[in-house]
Amino acid sequence: MVVNQQQYRTIWHESNLNDAGVVSKVVRVIDQTQLPHAFEVLFISNLSQMVEAIKTMQVRGAPLIGAAAAYGIALATQEDASDASLERAAGHLLRSRPTAVNLRWAVERMLGVLSLQTVEVRSELAWIEATLICDEDVSLNQAIGAHGLGILRQLHASQSRTINVLTHCNAGWLATVDFGTALAPIYAAHDAGLSVHVWVSETRPRNQGASLTAWELGQHGVAHTVITDNAGGHLIQQGLVDIVIVGADRVTITGDVCNKIGTYLKALAAYQGDCAGRRVPFYVAAPTPTIDWTIEDGIRDIEIEERAAEELIGMVGRLKDGRVATVNILPEGTQVLNPAFDVTPAKWITGIITEHGVFAPHQLHGLRGRT
Ligand code: MRU
């Protein structure tokens, strides 16, 4: 995507000459903790820095976490490409964020490729495979965009006015290598000249909707309005939402969808429908690396990440003088609980937009083996 007239992906690698004259590779990522206040690109030169970037959510969003983990393995091979080192690196990465299954998928893919090779050639191959994972992610998201565009075109044809899409969190290009999942159909529709407006749910506590989705859509010129998380149900009831499209961190083989906390309540409201009793279609955009083929019951079996209390206690924002600061908003000593994801049952989901097309949740199992 384009930022300040320059084409960017969220992650890439470069060769770097260090002070001792040694050439190595470094990974570059857009620091998402600084957006929308500053656009900064970080250097990541070893595994621990990558693990830290994932934990602190400088990189975030399921597909991007997968790409970052692949690069994490590549960075580890620069220091030591032995089996023991790869196993250690995999362990650190897998523990960094537990819910998005793309992370496990990418680590397993990297280890699967590297374990077949001799230690001497592993590092070179690791960089090639990580780059391939990134390139594939871009293609998957473009295909999701094209399939989702078909849905938006149909909606547009049936009502010939601006389509109001509700989304939650950030499943845009920042959450992937490029294009995004839930936002890919929106960008495709906008670029095709369809009139689209997006309700952006702010997504407490970290505000990925308000900080990242609003920033992305603004950069691309897509009309949008930020709403509080709790306003989604009201807008649906009032008939102001034509379709909900969200991303996913893990989809089960039966079509249950785990996504950012608050997704479940939007699905519930969409299923209930507007005040005339019309259900609002609820779509999930997810590439096949987000499907966990080992799990059937998402509510019972998906590990929900619990994040630090500080995320609820503090709010980050820009002060009038331009400085970015964190302010505390809770009474001192208040107890908090911060589950980062929830699970929407398959029965409330109209369709899952994948790179292979749009499927009802119960049809997903047919995609197994096509990844
Ligand atoms: O905690 P985050 O910001 O990594 O959570 C991101 C989400 O929940 C996204 O909706 C999801 O990863 C979809 S990614 C295209």
Side-chain angles (χ1 to χ4, degrees), residues 274-298:
D274 65 15
C275 46
R278 283 183 297 258
R279 278 190 190 149
V280 172
F282 185 96
Y283 282 92
V284 175
T288 43
T290 304
I291 303 173
D292 186 341
W293 302 109
T294 68
I295 287 186
E296 287 197 6
D297 185 334

Side-chain angles (χ1 to χ4, degrees), residues 9 14 45-46 48 51 58-59 80 88 92 131 139 144 162 164 207 214 216 228 239 245 271 276 279 299 319 346:
R9 285 182 173 187
E14 294 173 357
S45 48
N46 58 45
S48 355
V51 169
Q58 287 173 312
V59 289
D80 178 356
R88 248 191 331 270
H92 287 305
T131 309
S139 309
I144 286 174
T162 299
N164 288 300
N207 292 323
E216 266 194 36
T228 61
I245 312 180
Y271 190 76
R279 278 190 190 149
I299 297 165
L319 302 174

Side-chain angles (χ1 to χ4, degrees), residues 14-91:
E14 294 173 357
S15 292
N16 187 49
L17 183 65
N18 71 12
D19 296 344
V22 178
V23 180
S24 61
K25 289 195 172 72
V26 291
V27 180
R28 308 293 310 273
V29 296
I30 296 169
D31 184 352
Q32 302 198 21
T33 59
Q34 301 301 312
L35 287 169
H37 311 297
F39 184 80
E40 284 175 14
V41 178
L42 300 174
F43 282 91
I44 298 192
S45 48
N46 58 45
L47 171 71
S48 355
Q49 286 174 0
M50 184 59 89
V51 169
E52 209 45 34
I54 296 173
K55 280 186 183 165
T56 58
M57 294 174 63
Q58 287 173 312
V59 289
R60 42 132 319 265
L64 178 55
I65 294 171
Y71 271 129
I73 295 285
L75 286 165
T77 62
Q78 280 193 152
E79 287 164 31
D80 178 356
S82 66
D83 287 349
S85 158
L86 291 182
E87 286 302 327
R88 248 191 331 270

Side-chain angles (χ1 to χ4, degrees), residues 21-240:
V22 178
V23 180
S24 61
K25 289 195 172 72
V26 291
V27 180
R28 308 293 310 273
V29 296
I30 296 169
D31 184 352
Q32 302 198 21
T33 59
Q34 301 301 312
L35 287 169
H37 311 297
F39 184 80
E40 284 175 14
V41 178
L42 300 174
F43 282 91
I44 298 192
S45 48
N46 58 45
L47 171 71
S48 355
Q49 286 174 0
M50 184 59 89
V51 169
E52 209 45 34
I54 296 173
K55 280 186 183 165
T56 58
M57 294 174 63
Q58 287 173 312
V59 289
R60 42 132 319 265
L64 178 55
I65 294 171
Y71 271 129
I73 295 285
L75 286 165
T77 62
Q78 280 193 152
E79 287 164 31
D80 178 356
S82 66
D83 287 349
S85 158
L86 291 182
E87 286 302 327
R88 248 191 331 270
H92 287 305
L93 288 162
L94 290 172
R95 283 189 295 276
S96 62
R97 291 203 70 191
T99 302
V101 77
N102 305 59
L103 192 155
R104 187 183 80 201
W105 170 86
V107 167
E108 284 175 357
R109 173 164 158 175
M110 293 295 288
L111 262 48
V113 168
L114 299 181
S115 62
L116 301 172
Q117 308 295 332
T118 59
V119 172
E120 293 70 37
V121 297
R122 281 181 182 171
S123 194
E124 194 187 337
L125 288 173
W127 289 102
I128 293 172
E129 193 64 20
T131 309
L132 201 61
I133 286 176
C134 291
D135 291 346
E136 281 176 18
D137 182 63
V138 175
S139 309
L140 300 184
N141 299 332
Q142 283 179 303
I144 286 174
H147 293 302
L149 172 60
I151 298 169
L152 295 179
R153 272 196 201 286
Q154 267 181 9
L155 260 180
H156 199 257
S158 67
Q159 57 196 25
S160 56
R161 59 161 173 79
T162 299
I163 305 161
N164 288 300
V165 186
L166 171 62
T167 192
H168 188 57
C169 194
N170 172 262
W173 72 273
L174 288 169
T176 65
V177 179
D178 205 351
F179 294 103
T181 56
L183 296 195
I186 292 167
Y187 289 131
H190 175 83
D191 294 350
L194 263 64
S195 178
V196 198
H197 166 264
V198 186
W199 297 113
V200 178
S201 159
E202 61 178 348
T203 319
R204 278 285 288 147
R206 290 186 70 104
N207 292 323
Q208 292 96 323
S211 301
L212 304 178
T213 299
W215 180 80
E216 266 194 36
L217 292 172
Q219 292 285 320
H220 202 80
V222 179
H224 61 281
T225 306
V226 173
I227 55 169
T228 61
D229 293 324
N230 293 330
H234 169 71
L235 295 181
I236 287 172
Q237 191 179 53
Q238 293 297 313
L240 298 172

